[in-house]
């Protein structure tokens, strides 16, 4: 199971505006002891998924790489690369 970082009520607005960082002051709880760079699911105070990121010790607690409610799987990276490639073609 992927560890979860829960965001405090009202502190999820920057994530909903696609800001790529979660600051440590916005974190309500962390599901388990995490190591630097570990994959985490980001949820709001109601347990709604906000995205996926990598945990970081310090003032920037999570660096987000995917916003939204999609499930994490290996295809997520393939989709990101395909989207980037298509944007460069246009």
């Amino acid at each position: 199971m992927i560890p979860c970082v829960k965001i405090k009520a009202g502190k999820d607005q920057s994530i909903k505006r696609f800001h790529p960082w979660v600051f440590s002051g916005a974190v309500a709880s962390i599901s388990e002891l995490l190591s630097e760079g570990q994959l985490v699911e980001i949820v709001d105070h109601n347990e709604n998924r906000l995205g996926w990121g990598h945990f970081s010790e310090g003032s920037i607690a999570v660096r987000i790489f995917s916003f939204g409610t999609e499930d994490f799987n290996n295809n997520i990276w393939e989709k990101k690369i395909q989207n980037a490639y298509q944007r460069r073609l246009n």
Side-chain angles (χ1 to χ4, degrees), residues 1-63:
M1 184 163 172
I2 297 174
C4 180
V5 173
K6 185 184 281 189
I7 305 302
K8 293 177 183 175
K11 296 290 187 175
D12 57 354
Q13 293 306 309
S14 63
I15 297 170
K16 291 178 179 177
R17 290 190 307 267
F18 304 106
H19 190 281
W21 298 341
V22 175
F23 292 99
S24 58
V27 174
S29 65
I30 299 174
S31 65
E32 60 186 68
L33 185 61
L34 300 174
S35 57
E36 187 78 23
Q38 191 169 348
L39 173 68
V40 293
E41 177 183 19
I42 306 156
V43 298
D44 66 12
H45 67 285
N46 291 320
E47 304 284 331
N48 298 309
R49 184 179 297 143
L50 299 171
W52 300 95
H54 292 286
F55 178 76
S56 180
E57 296 178 15
S59 62
I60 301 172
V62 180
R63 297 172 193 276

